[in-house]
Amino acid sequence: MSNENNELYPDYYKEWDDALNKGLNPNYYDADELCEIIDIYLSEDEIRKGKITIDYTLKLYPDNEEVIYEILLLLNDYELWNDLLVLAEKYKDLSLVWADGHKLTALLHLGMEEDAFHFFRKLKSKYAENNEDLSIIYQAMAEALYDVDLFEASIDVISEAISLVGEEVDLLWLILQNYQAINDKEGVLTIAEKIQKKNPLNAETWSRLGNAYKEIDETEKSIEAFEFAQSLGNNDSNDLMSLIYAYEKNDNYNKALEKIEEYLVMHPESYVVNLMGANDCAQIQNWERALTYINRAIFLIPEMENLYMYQSDFLLKLGEYKKAIAALEEGIKRTKDSLGLLSKQIELIRKQYPD
């Protein structure tokens, strides 16, 4: 583990880790602190220490369902399938639906498909009288099948779940995800329509729909969804970037530039988005505005040689050949012109404008 990372972690983690390294008895830690320590170890690939901490935590809090839930979730998140299976099996008598779900997930990820389907059949009977728990089991099975690329099987499982518990929105998202994976555009569009009717004024829903439409190249629908999400208060930078790309894809550079300005209000330090703005302005031959963006990009990253080539080109488009040469000369001073491209460009301009 790097010292830099270690500095970012809480003191109780450092104390625990020090005690572990020295073989000392640890001080008292509450459940949340121990779960955080486990998370840190697993994130740093310190699996042995993570397992020691898990064992200690479960001995200290043997009947704490929240702790069991959190540890199972961490083992799932870090794909420690064998450990997940062992632990889920250990708590099978507690009748915890999420523990059963984790066991299903572990079995499928370990390639034990026959065992997984056999266990799934038992769980369907076990939770038949409780629609909420039944739905959780179906979702766990469908998600695990999706994770191991058994998309058609996942669709079959979700379809069966819908026939039993109805068109719950989580089930609809799962089936949409599988339709995306098999490139079934019609299936995605059908399910997306059902989802938007369930949550017509939810910004997150429209954001997710925008990304779903983007994945199947439904650019117009993607734009509509992202715009609507934004009107409902969504300010996600990734979605805004997706809108920029979508407008560019549709050759709607003026709208792309509108969104670029919105993005730069939030992230004025982005030289990449300034470059995108310069490129979009060039597409509509708005050279003065293109120059504004490229000047910002140069301010942000003055050592990039290509930026001075763009700056010079935009000045030439405006008929400012002397300023174009001056821009290149400034670029040489700042970048040392390692490839000699700026110097060559100056020679070409001087040949073209000999006076």
Side-chain angles (χ1 to χ4, degrees):
M1 184 180 303
S2 69
N3 289 332
E4 183 181 343
N5 281 352
N6 196 45
E7 289 301 314
L8 300 174
Y9 295 139
D11 289 339
Y12 57 80
Y13 160 75
K14 297 170 192 174
E15 292 166 3
W16 170 272
D17 189 58
D18 187 54
L20 206 59
N21 288 333
K22 294 176 179 177
L24 302 174
N25 289 325
N27 295 323
Y28 173 80
Y29 295 87
D30 66 33
D32 289 340
E33 288 173 338
L34 286 167
C35 287
E36 176 68 15
I37 291 168
I38 295 165
D39 193 3
I40 292 170
Y41 279 139
L42 298 185
S43 71
E44 293 283 354
D45 205 29
E46 294 267 9
I47 306 301
R48 184 186 66 83
K49 289 184 177 180
K51 289 181 181 181
I52 291 171
T53 311
I54 288 171
D55 289 342
Y56 178 87
T57 304
L58 292 173
K59 286 176 184 173
L60 192 61
Y61 299 101
D63 301 316
N64 188 319
E65 291 188 4
E66 289 185 10
V67 168
I68 298 166
Y69 175 87
E70 187 63 30
I71 291 174
L72 286 170
L73 196 60
L74 287 169
L75 291 172
N76 191 324
D77 288 346
Y78 290 102
E79 301 183 357
L80 297 170
W81 308 121
N82 280 309
D83 299 280
L84 181 63
L85 181 59
V86 169
L87 202 57
E89 182 69 20
K90 178 180 177 180
Y91 292 104
K92 65 181 180 181
D93 294 331
L94 293 181
S95 294
L96 303 172
V97 64
W98 33 266
D100 286 336
H102 281 302
K103 181 178 176 180
L104 270 178
T105 300
L107 286 169
L108 279 167
H109 279 280
L110 291 168
M112 302 166 69
E113 292 174 22
E114 189 174 335
D115 291 328
F117 277 99
H118 176 70
F119 185 51
F120 182 48
R121 284 192 291 272
K122 289 175 63 177
L123 293 179
K124 286 193 287 185
S125 298
K126 179 179 178 180
Y127 296 107
E129 302 303 317
N130 186 323
N131 274 4
E132 184 178 346
D133 288 350
L134 189 63
S135 179
I136 290 170
I137 289 302
Y138 270 98
Q139 287 178 53
M141 186 65 169
E143 286 176 0
L145 289 166
Y146 173 85
D147 287 343
V148 297
D149 298 339
L150 294 173
F151 307 119
E152 297 286 357
S154 183
I155 290 170
D156 289 342
V157 166
I158 301 164
S159 299
E160 184 176 302
I162 288 172
S163 72
L164 294 170
V165 302
E167 292 185 333
E168 295 180 355
V169 71
D170 289 339
L171 293 172
L172 292 176
W173 278 117
L174 272 172
I175 202 167
L176 182 145
Q177 186 175 258
N178 279 283
Y179 282 138
Q180 277 183 282
I182 61 174
N183 202 28
D184 185 340
K185 181 180 282 194
E186 186 178 340
V188 171
L189 293 174
T190 299
I191 299 300
E193 189 174 344
K194 291 182 178 183
I195 289 171
Q196 68 188 47
K197 286 178 180 177
K198 284 187 172 292
N199 290 303
L201 297 177
N202 182 276
E204 184 183 353
T205 294
W206 286 100
S207 168
R208 290 180 70 183
L209 287 172
N211 283 297
Y213 290 134
K214 181 180 71 173
E215 289 296 316
I216 59 171
D217 290 326
E218 283 285 337
T219 306
E220 285 294 340
K221 285 184 176 294
S222 177
I223 288 172
E224 289 172 9
F226 283 131
E227 287 281 16
F228 196 40
Q230 198 174 32
S231 74
L232 292 169
N234 176 54
N235 294 312
D236 184 81
S237 296
N238 291 327
D239 288 355
L240 193 50
M241 187 64 78
S242 293
L243 258 178
I244 294 167
Y245 286 131
Y247 279 126
E248 288 177 343
K249 189 174 181 179
N250 271 10
D251 297 332
N252 193 340
Y253 297 107
N254 285 313
K255 288 295 292 184
L257 285 165
E258 281 183 29
K259 298 303 171 183
I260 282 172
E261 283 301 316
E262 291 178 28
Y263 190 95
L264 289 173
V265 168
M266 294 190 289
H267 304 285
E269 76 289 350
S270 176
Y271 82 90
V272 171
V273 175
N274 275 295
L275 270 176
M276 291 170 68
N279 182 65
D280 289 349
C281 287
Q283 293 292 333
I284 57 176
Q285 299 186 3
N286 188 337
W287 308 116
E288 288 187 5
R289 191 173 178 186
L291 199 56
T292 300
Y293 284 113
I294 212 67
N295 288 343
R296 287 183 196 163
I298 287 172
F299 176 79
L300 291 166
I301 185 162
E303 66 274 12
M304 183 177 284
E305 294 176 15
N306 284 346
L307 296 181
Y308 300 95
M309 295 288 283
Y310 288 124
Q311 187 184 40
S312 171
D313 184 54
F314 296 152
L315 286 164
L316 286 176
K317 297 291 187 185
L318 291 167
E320 299 279 4
Y321 70 91
K322 289 184 179 179
K323 288 183 179 179
I325 291 173
L328 292 166
E329 288 173 339
E330 182 64 22
I332 291 170
K333 288 179 189 175
R334 292 184 176 183
T335 70
K336 308 306 180 189
D337 194 21
S338 59
L339 299 176
L341 297 176
L342 303 182
S343 299
K344 288 178 184 177
Q345 186 65 12
I346 289 175
E347 291 176 19
L348 289 173
I349 294 173
R350 283 181 171 151
K351 284 178 183 178
Q352 191 174 356
Y353 301 95
D355 58 332

